[in-house]
Amino acid sequence: MEKISEIFASQVFSEDVMRERLPKEVYKSLLNTIANGKEIDAGIADVVAGAMKDWAIEHGATHFTHWFQPLTGVTAEKHDAFLSPVGHGKAIMEFSGKELIKGESDASSFPSGGLRATFEARGYTAWDPASYAFIRDGSLYIPTAFCSYTGEALDTKTPLLRSMDAINNAALRILRLFGDGVTSRVIPSVGAEQEYFLIDEEDFKARRDLFYCGRTLFGAPAVKGQEMDDHYFGSLPTKVSAYMHELDLELWRLGISAKTKHNEAAPSQHELAPIFCTTNIAVDNNLLTMEVMRKLAPKYGMACILSEKPFEGMSGSGKHNNWSLGTDAGVNLFKPGKAPADNKQFLLFLAAVIKAVDEYQDLLRISTATAGNDCRLGGGEAPPSIISVYLGDDLDAIVHSIIEGSAVANKKKKYMSLGVSSMPKVRQDTTDRNRTSPFAFTGNKFEFRMVGASQNIAFANIVLNTAVASALTDFAVELESVGFSEGNLDAIIARTFREHKRILFSGNSYSKEWEKEAQARGLSNFKTSPEAYAHFTDEKNVELFGKFGVMSEAEMRSRREIFFGNYRKVKNIEAKTMLEMTIRDFIPSVSKYVGVLSESVGARLSVLPSLELSAEKDIIERLSVLLSRTYAAYNELLRAENNAVKKCDEEAAFYYKTSVAPKMEALRRVVDEMEVLTAREYWPVPTYGDITFKI
Ligand code: ADP
Ligand code: MG
C-alpha cells in the first residue's frame, strides 16, 4: 500500500519540485511571479521549461500540452511531442521557454461569440505560472489562458485571474486602513464539493438520452425512490467504494486534496469534497476531478454522470462553491472571532459580501444558468432561482441589532448535552445549517449552492470576486475621504446592512411563500437561463466588469452570445434525441407488444370462443390510444423543432424555452404512461428502477 504522503502531488511540478530542480535565482523569481502576480521574465522561461521537460520525461512523459478552458464548458488540449529533429534521421527531446509561454492554436473551432468575426481566427494559449503543471497519461499538462489575436479572453481562466487581482487590490486597501502593513496579498480561496451519479455502464449506453444528453428525457418513476432517506450517508457499495478509492489515489497524485466522500440523497448519487485552496487552482482541480471521475468509471463497469438532473423526481447534482478570503499569512478574513459584534474588520468584510450579493444577484444567478441547471434549480431539493443570504442565528441577531441601532451582544459559546456522562461536551456551532439557502455563511466561509454539477466554477467566482471587490472599493473610497474612525466605520456598516437587508433570509428557501415574499422585496427571480442571460450585459454589469478590468464590453457580449448559443444547442439535441427515441424505439416496441397481445387474444378466442379476455383487450385498447397520442405529440414536437431552425441564437433560446420545452414535456408524459403498461421485456430501454438501484 502506497503512503499518501509519498504519492500526493507526485505527478505535479509543484513548488517542492521547483525548489529542487531550479537554480535558486530562477526559483525565487518564479515564486515571486506566483505569489505576487509579477510578470515572468522571458530569460527564466527557458530554464523553467528545461527543468519541466527533464522532470516530465523522467516521469514517463513524451508529450506536452497547453491545457485551457475555452467557453465550451469543458477543457481543451492539443498534444505535441517533445521531439525535435536534428538531421540525419535523428531527433532530440526538446522544449523551449517559448513553447512553455505561448502556444498557438486555431481558435476558429472554439466558441468566440463574435469576437472572432471582427478579429483573426488565430488563438493563443499563454502559460499561467500560478497553476502547477502536471502529468497525465504520458503528457505534461501546462495550465494556460486562451485569448484571441488581439488579446480578448476566449476562456474562463483569464477573467478569473483578473478578478483575483481585483479583489486582492480592494481587500488590501481596506486592510491598510485597519493598519495592516504586513499582508502583501489577499487570496480568495475555494473548496468545491462535487456531486455525481454512478450507474451501470450498460444502462448508460442503452439509453440514448443519457448517452447524448447526460440526462433521461423519458422515464416513469421507480416504485421506490428516495423517500426512505436510506441512501444519504449510507454505507458504500463495494464497487463504488473501490472506484472512489482509485479516484482518490489518482487525484492525490495530481495534487488534488480529495478529502471527503459519501453517498448523497438520491440512490446512486455521491459526493466528493477536496480541501479548499487558491481559487484558480481550485478551478483547475475541479475540472480535472470531473475528468478523472468520468474516465475512471468504465474501468469499474460504470458511467459517471455529472449533469444536473439525470433523473426526474430524484435529487439533482450541484456543486457547492465554498468561498472565503485569506491573507498570504493564512488569516481568514471571514473568521468572526470570539466577539464578532466588536470585530469591525469582520463586520465590514461581511457587509461587503452582503452588498455585493444584493447588488449583483442577477450576475450570480447568470453564473449558474445553463439548460441543465434549469432542471435542478427550484426543484424542491435545490435552491430556487432567487438569491438570498443566510447568516445563521447568532450573526443574524448581530446584524439586525446593528440595523435597528439596539445594543449588540456577542453570544456565549453554547454546549450541547447528550445526556451521557461519559461523553465529552460538544460545542454548538454558531450557525445551524440551512440547506435550503443558495448563499449561506457557514462559520468562516460562504457556501454558494446554486452552481450546477457539470459547470466550470470559474464564472461564479469571477462574479463573486469582482462584486465583492467593488463593494470593498466603495468602502475604501468612502473611508479614505471621510477619515478612518470607529464612528465612520460603524456608520458604513450599519448603513450597508440597512440598505441591503432585503437579501437576508433565514427561512425555508424552497417554500412557495418565499417566492412571494422575495418578489415583494424586489429580488430578481430568473426562472430560466434565457431570462437570466438577457441581463448579462445590463449597464451596471458592464460597468462593474469594465471598472475592474475583468471583462471588456466586447468580451461580455461574446459570452452573452455563447450562453444563448449553448442553451439552444443543448435543447436542440434533447429535442432530436426525444424524437429519435420515440419513433425508433418506443413506438415500434409498444406496437410490437400490442401485436403480440392481439395475436394471443385471437389464438385463444379461436380455441375458447366464449372466454372473457378483458385484461388483454383492455391493455390493447389503452396502449393503442396511447400510441396515437404519442404519435401526435411526436408530430407536434417535430413541427416546433423545425420552426427553430431559422432563428438566431437568442431568439431560438427563448423559443426553445417557451414553445419547444412544453412539447417535450407533453411527449414525455404520454411515453411514460405507455411504459408502465408495457410488459418489461418489450420496453426498449432500462427503466428508472433498473438503473438507480442496480449498483
Ligand atoms: P458540507 O458538506 O457540510 O458543506 P464539506 O466538508 O463536505 O462540508 O465541504 C466543505 C468544503 O468547504 C470543503 O471543500 C472545505 O475544504 C471547504 N472550506 C473550508 N474552509 C474554507 C475556506 N475558508 N474557504 C473556502 N473553502 C473552505
Ligand atoms: Mg456543503
Side-chain angles (χ1 to χ4, degrees):
M1 185 74 195
E2 296 164 289
K3 275 201 202 135
I4 296 184
S5 54
E6 276 162 25
I7 64 165
F8 192 79
S10 59
Q11 304 291 100
V12 182
F13 194 72
S14 64
E15 245 169 73
D16 281 348
V17 180
M18 293 179 208
R19 190 182 322 114
E20 216 173 273
R21 296 190 170 238
L22 294 173
K24 219 180 188 148
E25 283 315 303
V26 174
Y27 171 67
K28 266 184 19 205
S29 158
L30 188 57
L31 225 53
N32 190 30
T33 298
I34 295 171
N36 303 317
K38 294 269 146 39
E39 201 177 317
I40 190 114
D41 181 70
I44 72 161
D46 270 324
V47 185
V48 178
M52 256 190 200
K53 180 204 68 185
D54 292 343
W55 170 82
I57 291 170
E58 278 167 42
H59 285 74
T62 52
H63 288 66
F64 70 93
T65 176
H66 276 200
W67 185 62
F68 57 104
Q69 302 168 22
L71 298 166
T72 51
V74 292
T75 56
E77 49 195 70
K78 179 180 129 213
H79 300 255
D80 280 301
F82 285 122
L83 208 67
S84 191
V86 285
H88 311 293
K90 291 221 163 81
I92 51 163
M93 301 287 255
E94 230 181 19
F95 184 50
S96 68
K98 229 169 77 192
E99 287 170 299
L100 167 65
I101 289 186
K102 193 180 100 180
E104 195 184 325
S105 76
D106 186 354
S108 57
S109 300
F110 293 105
S112 77
L115 279 179
R116 210 184 47 236
T118 32
F119 305 101
E120 274 214 48
R122 251 195 278 205
Y124 294 97
T125 49
W127 178 38
D128 165 22
S131 304
Y132 300 125
F134 57 90
I135 296 172
R136 274 196 79 200
D137 303 329
S139 277
L140 171 70
Y141 281 69
I142 301 155
T144 55
F146 181 49
C147 62
S148 74
Y149 183 63
T150 40
E152 268 90 5
L154 294 174
D155 67 348
T156 50
K157 187 188 262 284
T158 310
L160 179 72
L161 294 172
R162 294 172 183 161
S163 76
M164 290 172 69
D165 274 346
I167 199 161
N168 168 52
N169 293 332
L172 272 183
R173 207 161 149 189
I174 295 286
L175 291 183
R176 295 287 180 262
L177 287 167
F178 275 92
D180 176 344
V182 289
T183 298
S184 64
R185 194 160 172 89
V186 173
I187 303 143
S189 48
V190 164
E193 300 162 56
Q194 177 72 48
E195 292 181 332
Y196 61 102
F197 278 83
L198 285 175
I199 67 165
D200 193 288
E201 196 186 10
E202 294 305 315
D203 289 343
F204 179 76
K205 286 186 180 156
R207 290 198 60 126
R208 248 157 306 161
D209 47 4
L210 277 176
F211 194 73
Y212 290 140
C213 313
R215 72 183 189 100
T216 54
L217 302 167
F218 299 98
V223 175
K224 183 183 179 213
Q226 61 190 73
E227 61 273 58
M228 301 293 285
D229 287 328
D230 51 359
H231 190 257
Y232 191 58
F233 282 27
S235 89
L236 302 171
T238 318
K239 200 152 118 173
V240 171
S241 168
Y243 165 85
M244 285 179 170
H245 179 65
E246 188 169 346
L247 178 62
D248 278 343
L249 289 178
E250 173 103 21
L251 294 177
W252 290 337
R253 280 189 201 105
L254 292 167
I256 299 171
S257 50
K259 176 147 167 80
T260 313
K261 50 186 178 187
H262 61 76
N263 283 352
E264 259 301 327
S268 304
Q269 194 187 24
H270 313 279
E271 181 186 297
L272 180 146
I275 297 173
F276 69 97
C277 61
T278 309
T279 306
N280 59 320
I281 295 183
V283 170
D284 287 359
N285 285 355
N286 180 253
L287 287 164
L288 258 179
T289 299
M290 292 197 282
E291 226 174 279
V292 177
M293 276 179 165
R294 250 193 238 115
K295 278 199 175 155
L296 187 61
K299 187 172 164 189
Y300 292 86
M302 301 189 291
C304 171
I305 303 181
L306 291 165
S307 66
E308 283 74 17
K309 191 78 175 176
F311 305 102
E312 194 184 67
M314 301 199 322
S315 288
S317 297
K319 194 132 56 186
H320 293 174
N321 190 85
N322 295 275
W323 177 93
S324 76
L325 286 176
T327 68
D328 49 346
V331 179
N332 183 341
L333 299 174
F334 290 113
K335 201 171 163 194
K338 286 206 179 71
D342 310 316
N343 186 346
K344 296 291 152 66
Q345 187 183 302
F346 165 73
L347 289 174
L348 192 70
F349 275 92
L350 176 68
V353 173
I354 289 172
K355 175 175 153 79
V357 174
D358 186 27
E359 285 177 350
Y360 297 101
Q361 43 181 293
D362 51 347
L363 279 180
L364 281 169
R365 167 68 182 103
I366 294 165
S367 77
T368 67
T370 63
N373 214 19
D374 279 1
C375 308
R376 164 181 170 258
L377 295 179
E381 93 300 310
S385 9
I386 309 160
I387 305 267
S388 63
V389 178
Y390 171 79
L391 294 175
D393 294 346
D394 292 3
L395 208 50
D396 204 52
I398 292 173
V399 167
H400 277 94
S401 36
I402 291 175
I403 290 174
E404 284 139 27
S406 53
V408 197
N410 292 303
K411 283 257 175 62
K412 285 229 171 60
K413 289 271 177 255
K414 282 180 279 189
Y415 288 89
M416 293 177 285
S417 165
L418 300 176
V420 180
S421 59
S422 62
M423 287 179 75
K425 274 205 289 187
V426 180
R427 210 171 84 188
Q428 236 176 21
D429 282 323
T430 46
T431 57
D432 190 12
R433 289 167 175 265
N434 180 339
R435 288 271 170 206
T436 71
S437 174
F439 199 97
F441 182 67
T442 48
N444 59 6
K445 63 184 192 297
F446 292 88
E447 188 169 340
F448 185 34
R449 302 187 176 122
M450 260 164 109
V451 189
S454 71
Q455 281 192 279
N456 182 338
I457 53 171
F459 192 12
N461 289 295
I462 291 168
V463 172
L464 255 176
N465 291 342
T466 317
V468 175
S470 169
L472 289 172
T473 305
D474 287 352
F475 294 164
V477 168
E478 184 171 347
L479 283 167
E480 282 157 6
S481 101
V482 297
F484 184 84
S485 71
E486 181 104 14
N488 288 339
L489 256 180
D490 286 346
I492 290 182
I493 293 169
R495 192 190 64 220
T496 307
F497 287 157
R498 219 176 301 121
E499 281 175 3
H500 299 286
K501 67 172 189 236
R502 65 170 185 171
I503 201 77
L504 302 177
F505 181 64
S506 310
N508 178 6
S509 301
Y510 295 178
S511 68
K512 279 273 158 255
E513 294 76 47
W514 168 233
E515 200 175 331
K516 273 199 219 111
E517 160 142 17
Q519 194 182 9
R521 290 189 191 188
L523 300 179
S524 72
N525 182 5
F526 304 128
K527 289 208 170 119
T528 63
S529 295
E531 290 163 84
Y533 300 151
H535 289 275
F536 185 54
T537 45
D538 283 358
E539 207 177 313
K540 75 176 211 335
N541 298 337
V542 172
E543 206 174 278
L544 172 78
F545 285 127
K547 181 171 162 193
F548 291 94
V550 171
M551 273 186 262
S552 66
E553 184 164 355
E555 286 171 337
M556 288 180 74
R557 294 211 171 278
S558 80
R559 276 161 182 75
R560 186 180 185 275
E561 215 164 286
I562 291 167
F563 296 153
F564 281 120
N566 282 345
Y567 182 91
R568 170 208 205 135
K569 282 177 214 153
V570 169
K571 284 293 166 202
N572 172 250
I573 293 170
E574 286 183 355
K576 285 193 302 195
T577 304
M578 290 189 86
L579 290 168
E580 186 185 290
M581 287 175 81
T582 302
I583 206 75
R584 299 183 62 185
D585 296 333
F586 299 129
I587 291 183
S589 300
V590 174
S591 158
K592 194 164 163 194
Y593 176 50
V594 170
V596 168
L597 280 179
S598 309
E599 249 174 56
S600 139
V601 169
R604 288 167 67 190
L605 277 179
S606 69
V607 182
L608 300 164
S610 61
L611 198 67
E612 177 64 42
L613 289 168
S614 57
E616 288 96 327
K617 280 186 183 161
D618 193 36
I619 293 173
I620 291 169
E621 190 181 333
R622 285 166 68 188
L623 279 177
S624 302
V625 171
L626 287 171
L627 272 174
S628 308
R629 280 178 47 206
T630 299
Y631 190 57
Y634 164 87
N635 280 321
E636 290 256 321
L637 177 58
L638 185 64
R639 219 169 300 131
E641 163 67 23
N642 285 339
N643 280 339
V645 176
K646 288 220 175 72
K647 300 185 193 302
C648 74
D649 283 348
E650 180 167 349
E651 217 187 323
F654 279 100
Y655 177 75
Y656 270 105
K657 172 187 87 83
T658 35
S659 303
V660 182
K663 305 275 192 294
M664 290 168 62
E665 175 67 18
L667 177 58
R668 176 188 184 138
R669 290 299 144 230
V670 50
V671 169
D672 289 358
E673 264 187 74
M674 293 202 298
E675 181 188 323
V676 294
L677 278 176
T678 304
R680 201 175 293 277
E681 61 178 305
Y682 286 91
W683 195 249
V685 298
T687 63
Y688 272 27
D690 297 338
I691 298 171
T692 50
F693 285 99
K694 192 177 269 175
I695 291 172

